[in-house]
Amino acid sequence: MRKAKLVILFLVVFVFAAAISLSAQEFPLNYTDELGREITIEKEVERIITLAPGMTEVIYALGLEDKLVAVSSACDYPEEALTKDDVGRIDEPNIEKIVSLEPDLVIAESVTKIESLERLSELGIKNIGFKPVSINDTIDMIEDIAYLTSAAEAGVELTSRMDKEYQQLKELVNDKLENKERKRVFYEIWSDPLYTAGKGTFIDSLIHDAGGYNVAREAEGSWPTFSLESLIDADPEVYISSAHSTPNGLTLDELREREIFREISAFKNDRLYLVDQNLVNRPSPRIIEGYKQFIQAIFPELKEEIN
């Protein structure tokens, strides 16, 4: 009996030790970010600054908000983020203030100028930059942030849930697309002049994943302007915009009243939609909700199935 107890005790200790070894993170961490810069993290990160709204949302979703000491002025979700110290604009943050806060890690997106990030590096502030252009990229980014901030377990739980829902939604879309052509879609970023999202952008990827064809893929550049003639010629069957596309906020009724667009199929058939810009433009855990909005615009009959 005594021998059996010793064996059981040994097994318990072994399993416990194995669990610790799996959860413990070994340092240093060596990482190359999506801007091609190498970074080494010597110890667990305790003080974080995020410069992009999506990165801030990731930190909260990972349960690391107590380590978040500051954000850029663009970070407005969740509401608690507004109580954090403000380090200025997302594209050109206040370097002096960032340095004074002594962060262990600054997390940025590609919209922040590389010169700002390089200056932080020169001043001894570790920073990483991400450039996600799809839902898959966003999931990978969240895993990387979780790894770098010693939140791997929370990261696996979050990304597994996101990926499962993403795959389920893609399956619904693929079933609808079987033996059918993709609907022509136009996404309005700004109304006057008319700006849209071209090939290789996050919006372009979302439109494709949702079962549509982005008519702006043929335009030159990532964020092209579109003339009325080009829009009529492309004749989108689905027209998507957001409240943020006009200075005073666009409404669906105002979009419908654009007489100048009356010859476009989407306007003839009332296939006009407004999406939440903060959901569809930010690489964050909420991107799945943004994806759902695009699916509903292209396949309104799927509304009940995806909600």
Side-chain angles (χ1 to χ4, degrees):
M1 179 66 73
R2 186 169 181 271
K3 185 176 181 181
K5 288 182 178 179
L6 286 173
V7 170
I8 292 172
L9 178 62
F10 172 77
L11 288 174
V12 170
V13 171
F14 176 79
V15 171
F16 181 71
I20 291 176
S21 65
L22 285 173
S23 60
Q25 192 156 20
E26 295 183 0
F27 293 91
L29 304 179
N30 297 308
Y31 183 78
T32 302
D33 71 7
E34 293 181 13
L35 303 180
R37 301 171 311 129
E38 295 182 358
I39 179 176
T40 299
I41 296 178
E42 305 290 348
K43 59 183 179 64
E44 184 171 336
V45 170
E46 297 292 347
R47 296 177 63 80
I48 302 169
I49 292 178
T50 51
L51 301 181
M55 312 301 142
T56 300
E57 292 190 30
V58 171
I59 293 301
Y60 274 90
L62 292 174
L64 299 173
E65 59 270 21
D66 289 343
K67 294 185 176 184
L68 186 63
V69 297
V71 299
S72 75
S73 55
C75 301
D76 57 4
Y77 186 91
E79 189 174 341
E80 290 82 357
L82 296 170
T83 66
K84 300 291 184 178
D85 267 350
D86 186 337
V87 293
R89 289 165 41 185
I90 183 175
D91 56 341
E92 290 185 278
N94 186 327
I95 301 297
E96 184 177 340
K97 185 166 184 179
I98 291 175
V99 173
S100 72
L101 291 170
E102 300 181 340
D104 297 321
L105 184 64
V106 175
I107 307 175
E109 201 183 333
S110 56
V111 67
T112 301
K113 293 181 178 179
I114 187 66
E115 292 82 4
S116 295
L117 300 181
E118 289 176 345
R119 181 57 180 155
L120 286 173
S121 296
E122 291 171 0
L123 294 170
I125 303 298
K126 296 184 186 298
N127 62 89
I128 51 174
F130 292 95
K131 191 180 180 180
V133 292
S134 68
I135 294 177
N136 278 328
D137 286 354
T138 300
I139 292 173
D140 290 343
M141 178 195 76
I142 293 172
E143 288 181 345
D144 287 355
I145 292 176
Y147 164 73
L148 293 168
T149 56
S150 302
E153 186 176 345
V156 168
E157 181 180 345
L158 175 58
T159 56
S160 295
R161 187 168 64 248
M162 289 177 65
D163 187 60
K164 180 180 179 180
E165 189 169 11
Y166 176 45
Q167 298 305 327
Q168 291 172 341
L169 292 168
K170 280 180 67 176
E171 187 173 339
L172 288 174
V173 170
N174 289 335
D175 287 345
K176 296 296 293 185
L177 279 175
E178 191 172 4
N179 301 321
K180 295 180 182 178
E181 288 187 5
R182 292 173 175 269
K183 290 192 179 297
R184 301 184 304 278
V185 180
F186 183 85
Y187 182 80
E188 175 183 298
I189 291 178
W190 192 249
S191 60
D192 188 19
L194 187 60
Y195 272 93
T196 187
K199 185 176 181 179
T201 61
F202 210 108
I203 294 296
D204 178 60
S205 175
L206 279 179
I207 291 172
H208 184 272
D209 277 357
Y213 175 78
N214 179 17
V215 297
R217 295 193 107 238
E218 309 303 323
E220 186 175 342
S222 299
W223 312 105
T225 55
F226 238 67
S227 66
L228 177 60
E229 292 76 14
S230 296
L231 188 62
I232 292 174
D233 186 56
D235 192 30
E237 299 163 276
V238 178
Y239 195 100
I240 304 174
S241 188
S242 75
H244 296 79
S245 69
T246 64
N248 298 318
L250 179 68
T251 67
L252 200 53
D253 285 340
E254 289 171 339
L255 183 58
R256 290 190 179 109
E257 290 169 2
R258 290 183 183 172
E259 288 294 324
I260 196 171
F261 290 169
R262 63 184 179 277
E263 297 303 317
I264 297 169
S265 292
F267 283 78
K268 286 180 180 179
N269 301 316
D270 197 28
R271 294 295 306 275
L272 313 176
Y273 303 89
L274 294 185
V275 295
D276 186 336
Q277 178 177 289
N278 290 338
L279 292 182
V280 303
N281 282 353
R282 294 181 180 181
S284 79
R286 296 194 295 162
I287 191 58
I288 300 299
E289 296 305 312
Y291 180 37
K292 289 179 181 180
Q293 292 192 357
F294 270 81
I295 294 174
Q296 286 182 209
I298 297 170
F299 298 110
E301 63 272 24
L302 288 177
K303 182 178 180 179
E304 297 300 322
E305 292 185 64
I306 65 178
N307 290 316

